[in-house]
Amino acid sequence: MRFFESTIICVLLAVFISSCDSYFEVGELDSEEQLVVYCLPVAGQDTTVIQLSKSVTLGGSGLPTFGLAGAEINFNVNGEAKEVLWNEEGRGILPPMCYYSVAKIKAGDVIEVEAAYKGLPKATSRTVVPQSFPVEKVELTCKPGENVGMQVRVTFTDPVGSDDYFGVKMVRQEVFQESVGDVVTDVAYRNTVTCDFAFDEEPIFNNKVGLDAALNFDYDYYDYLYIWTDTEIQGRTYTLRMDTSYLTPEEFSYTNWDGNVTTAKVYYRYKIYLYRLTKEFYSFLKSVNDIANNNLGLHGFAPLRGSYTNVSNGFGVVGGCQISESPWLDSPVEDNSTVWGI
């Protein structure tokens, strides 16, 4: 079987190699430096970061200049100009070498960004902040079997008559608790990690076609933020089903230094982040994922893909989102799911 699969791969690669000859004149490519703008306003936040850099020309060397102090930045919310400030060093939520504006952002806001710097073409872009994720219920449930797993179910109703873009992310936190009798003496929260998902029962994600399906290539998502569109579920109520590992809670007792019997528990809790994305934000994330997963392209056997941009006279992305956040949800136990409903 392995010989057969290897033969198929070799034949496919031979086809790619024979079809990869392309010729073009380097002089035909635009080598002008342009601004790179990233601005991702989030509904409910009162601070929006604007990151600015320059592109590297075709024949240029080194890395792009990161953080351009002294640029002229215009940041408008619903046509109203907001003050833009420069931040030299990282502090709080602000990264170093960035611009930012303090203005409360809400769903439906029209965000416009303009950037000019030392004679480079003025870069412009806009986006409209989306509505909230239409969640109805989130459920954590145990999956029976020899190796117990956990399934995360997100039930939502897709809005009718619009193209919509969504994302989901989950983090897990380990909780350590000590108690003497019924009195809790210590609680420590530690080891917060982002969870990955498998999609054996989820057709929205388990939809490989073409070469990916033939070679069974995995598709990874940047920072475990899983994104999708409503193409297959227009206007319907739908339950997303995502599988992840299940960590069994532990409990043990010991006698401490003063002779008291102390009970220690280690258990796990989860937080779900649900994203409603603009088309621009989704398209950018999709392009990042496609580039990272283009294994054949990285080895010269398929075309390389470029990042999505909606910036005129420049690169980068201006795209909005809104994030709905669950409370911390304890691990489910057999026959007893954990449910969060809106």
Side-chain angles (χ1 to χ4, degrees):
M1 185 66 177
R2 289 183 179 177
F3 173 77
F4 178 70
E5 291 176 351
S6 299
T7 302
I8 292 176
I9 294 174
C10 289
V11 171
L12 288 170
L13 294 183
V15 172
F16 291 146
I17 293 171
S18 66
S19 62
C20 278
D21 291 336
S22 298
Y23 301 94
F24 56 88
E25 293 293 333
V26 173
E28 295 176 359
L29 298 181
D30 186 1
S31 61
E32 183 183 50
E33 283 186 329
Q34 291 185 306
L35 292 174
V36 182
V37 182
Y38 288 101
C39 179
L40 306 171
V42 181
Q45 300 293 318
D46 59 7
T47 302
T48 301
V49 173
I50 305 166
Q51 293 180 299
L52 190 65
S53 61
K54 287 193 300 183
S55 64
V56 175
T57 61
L58 188 67
S61 60
L63 296 174
T65 302
F66 178 75
L68 302 177
E72 180 182 343
I73 307 290
N74 294 321
F75 181 77
N76 296 333
V77 179
N78 299 324
E80 180 181 346
K82 301 296 183 180
E83 183 181 17
V84 176
L85 303 171
W86 168 253
N87 180 62
E88 186 75 21
E89 298 181 359
R91 54 189 175 90
I93 64 171
L94 297 175
M97 306 289 286
C98 75
Y99 295 90
Y100 67 99
S101 181
V102 178
K104 190 74 172 181
I105 303 300
K106 64 183 185 302
D109 282 348
V110 179
I111 307 296
E112 297 172 303
V113 180
E114 294 182 349
Y117 181 78
K118 293 186 177 179
L120 294 179
K122 178 184 289 185
T124 62
S125 189
R126 72 189 296 274
T127 191
V128 179
V129 179
Q131 302 296 318
S132 61
F133 189 103
V135 61
E136 296 186 6
K137 182 175 69 172
V138 172
E139 181 180 7
L140 311 182
T141 185
C142 290
K143 294 192 67 180
E146 183 176 346
N147 297 315
V148 178
M150 186 174 78
Q151 187 168 87
V152 179
R153 300 170 182 170
V154 178
T155 301
F156 65 101
T157 299
D158 179 64
V160 177
S162 60
D163 295 327
D164 299 293
Y165 307 87
F166 306 109
V168 62
K169 186 175 186 177
M170 184 173 78
V171 297
R172 180 184 67 236
Q173 187 176 71
E174 182 181 271
V175 183
F176 176 80
Q177 176 183 306
E178 286 186 328
S179 57
V180 177
D182 295 330
V183 179
V184 176
T185 58
D186 184 40
V187 177
Y189 302 101
R190 57 193 188 186
N191 300 334
T192 300
V193 299
T194 304
C195 302
D196 62 336
F197 290 124
F199 301 107
D200 295 339
E201 298 182 33
E202 184 44 66
I204 281 183
F205 293 105
N206 189 17
N207 56 357
K208 297 177 184 176
V209 295
L211 187 59
D212 287 343
L215 301 184
N216 197 28
F217 285 156
D218 290 330
Y219 190 90
D220 297 322
Y221 291 80
Y222 174 74
D223 200 30
Y224 301 114
L225 171 55
Y226 298 89
I227 58 174
W228 72 97
T229 73
D230 67 347
T231 303
E232 301 177 27
I233 55 171
Q234 279 283 346
R236 294 193 286 123
T237 297
Y238 188 83
T239 297
L240 200 68
R241 299 173 185 271
M242 304 167 290
D243 296 332
T244 190
S245 57
Y246 179 80
L247 299 183
T248 304
E250 299 178 13
E251 181 176 330
F252 56 92
S253 298
Y254 64 92
T255 302
N256 62 20
W257 60 273
D258 60 1
N260 290 322
V261 176
T262 299
T263 300
K265 297 180 181 179
V266 178
Y267 63 96
Y268 304 90
R269 60 182 194 166
Y270 300 84
K271 184 180 285 288
I272 311 292
Y273 298 92
L274 300 169
Y275 295 76
R276 184 81 172 267
L277 306 169
T278 62
K279 180 180 180 180
E280 301 85 16
F281 202 160
Y282 170 84
S283 299
F284 172 72
L285 290 173
K286 181 69 164 56
S287 71
V288 170
N289 292 336
D290 288 345
I291 291 169
N293 286 277
N294 188 13
N295 298 299
L296 293 174
L298 293 176
H299 293 86
F301 299 125
L304 292 174
R305 301 171 181 176
S307 295
Y308 169 87
T309 181
N310 67 328
V311 177
S312 298
N313 296 320
F315 302 100
V317 66
V318 175
C321 76
Q322 185 160 177
I323 307 171
S324 300
E325 176 181 338
S326 78
W328 285 105
L329 305 172
D330 290 339
S331 291
V333 294
E334 189 174 355
D335 299 326
N336 189 11
S337 298
T338 300
V339 179
W340 172 56
I342 301 299

